[in-house]
Amino acid sequence: AIMVSTSKRFLFGCIALIGDIAIISHSAKADQVYFVDGGEHETSQEYPEHNIFILNGTTLSLVNGISIVAPSDGKDGEEAVRVEDAFFHAKNGLISGGLGVGGSGVTVTTNRNSEFQAKATFEEGVTVHGGDAIRQTTTRGGDAVQVLHAGSEAVFKGGVFTPGAGCTVQVCGQPTSTGNSVQV
C-alpha cells in the first residue's frame, strides 16, 4: 500500500497511482512524484517540470543519464529532489533546482523521530545545479545540495555541483547572492 502525504496547497489536485509510485498533479505546469513504498526504484523516464519526493525508507537511484528539473514557478515548489527519511543514489544524470525561485537541486533531511536516516550519495556521473533567482521572486540563488537536520548525510564520490546565480535589487548573476554548491 502507498500512503501519500501532501500539504494544503495540493489538496485539490489529482492523485494517480502507477505501480508503487504516486503522482500528484496539481497544475498544468508541474507534477510531484512521490516514492513512498519503502522499496527500491531506479529512474526510468525524464522528469521535466517535476518535484521528486523520496520518503519513508524508500530508495531511488538516478541512472541512465535521466534529468530531473524542478518547475520554474515557485507555486509548484523549489526543490528538484527531496530526500526525507530515505535514500537517494545519484549515479549519473542531471538535477536542476527551480529556476526563477532559487530552488535547491537536492535537499536531504531527517525528521526528528524518524526510524530512517536520510542519505544521498553522489557519483562521478551526476551534475546538480541550484536554481537561479529572479528579482520578482527571490534574490538568492539555490543550493545545489542542502543537508538539513541532525542525522542527515550526503556522500560525495564525484560529480559536478553548481550553485544557482542570485540577484541584487538591480542586477542578476551577482556572486554575493549566489547559492552554495553544498549547504550544511
Side-chain angles (χ1 to χ4, degrees):
I2 296 175
M3 182 177 131
V4 177
S5 294
T6 185
S7 64
K8 290 181 186 177
R9 66 180 176 164
F10 305 122
L11 288 177
F12 298 108
C14 171
I15 299 175
L17 296 177
I18 301 173
D20 292 329
I21 302 169
I23 298 178
I24 298 178
S25 179
H26 59 87
S27 76
K29 187 146 177 89
D31 287 326
Q32 265 100 33
V33 179
Y34 286 76
F35 292 87
V36 297
D37 66 345
E40 295 185 18
H41 305 275
E42 288 188 343
T43 52
S44 59
Q45 68 182 54
E46 296 288 324
Y47 292 101
E49 299 288 327
H50 282 74
N51 306 105
I52 306 296
F53 296 86
I54 311 159
L55 309 171
N56 305 326
T58 303
T59 298
L60 177 66
S61 295
L62 179 67
V63 296
N64 301 323
I66 297 292
S67 294
I68 301 171
V69 180
S72 58
D73 180 353
K75 175 184 165 205
D76 292 320
E78 299 178 353
E79 304 158 319
V81 177
R82 183 173 186 89
V83 182
E84 188 170 316
D85 307 324
F87 180 66
F88 180 55
H89 191 175
K91 295 180 181 181
N92 59 55
L94 171 69
I95 302 166
S96 292
L99 298 174
V101 295
S104 297
V106 177
T107 297
V108 183
T109 183
T110 301
N111 288 317
R112 184 178 304 217
N113 295 319
S114 176
E115 62 185 274
F116 305 106
Q117 175 190 16
K119 182 177 180 180
T121 300
F122 300 92
E123 302 285 346
E124 188 174 324
V126 70
T127 299
V128 183
H129 300 290
D132 292 336
I134 57 174
R135 285 185 297 278
Q136 294 80 5
T137 306
T138 186
T139 57
R140 186 179 180 282
D143 302 323
V145 176
Q146 68 174 342
V147 182
L148 306 174
H149 305 118
S152 301
E153 182 179 339
V155 177
F156 299 91
K157 297 181 177 180
V160 177
F161 304 90
T162 309
C167 295
T168 65
V169 175
Q170 299 171 344
V171 172
C172 286
Q174 293 296 312
T176 56
S177 56
T178 294
N180 299 297
S181 294
V182 178
Q183 174 70 36
V184 180

